[in-house]
Amino acid sequence: NPFLILGMERAVERILSAIDKEEKIVIFGDYDCDGIPGSVVLHDFFKKIGYTNFQNYIPHRNNEGYGLNISAIEKFAAEDATLMVTVDCGITDVAEVARANELGIDVIITDHHVAQEVLPPAYAILNSKQSGDTYPDNMLCGAGVAWKLVCALLSRRREKWNIAEGWEKWLLDMAGLSTIADMVPLKNENRVLAYYGLKVL
């Protein structure tokens, strides 16, 4: 159940609200073998439901470095973005999320890296390594967390969007690829994501 992940209900409500109001959404993914496929998961979800007011953004490894950066956030604000969803990054970016808030951008962090003592002031954080999360498997990779977010969104609007039961399995090529390439333990849910991800591939 994706709603066992702390913050999932709040994240889903905010994304559905953004869709209903046709807000500009930015998917900010890490540049590695987890963040890029995880960003594809969200990209393909938005395409499937016919939502077009979004963009994918992958930072340049050398010029921008890992994680969120203020210059990119200021660019998104200038382009009227009001919601940013991170993939495989963001859990340590306190100042960057604060700047996004100042500019009127709500941030939903989806990440799997170890949370620091001070969390970013994000609208919602999906990361089962954070204190208070009781999800049964805290070793999902970044794309795995993004896939769980898609599952949660579909559970609320599947009929309205006319999406067949189980369609989300076709996103498991990306979630499974990330699970294997990012070298998370192939146990529990990760083993399932990898197994069926390889079948989809």
Side-chain angles (χ1 to χ4, degrees), residues 42-57:
L42 292 179
H43 170 277
D44 289 359
F45 162 74
F46 282 122
K47 288 288 189 181
K48 180 68 175 177
I49 67 172
Y51 194 75
T52 59
N53 194 18
F54 78 96
Q55 74 173 93
N56 280 68
Y57 187 87

Side-chain angles (χ1 to χ4, degrees), residues 2 5 8 11-12 15 42 45 85-86 108 110 126 144-154:
I5 297 175
M8 184 65 80
V12 166
I15 293 170
L42 292 179
F45 162 74
V85 182
T86 76
I108 294 171
T110 77
L126 306 181
V145 178
W147 187 76
K148 300 301 289 192
L149 174 58
V150 168
C151 292
L153 289 162
L154 287 172

Side-chain angles (χ1 to χ4, degrees), residues 16-31:
L16 293 179
S17 174
I19 291 170
D20 292 340
K21 297 174 183 175
E22 297 188 357
E23 296 179 45
K24 174 73 175 290
I25 302 172
V26 175
I27 302 164
F28 190 107
D30 186 26
Y31 48 66

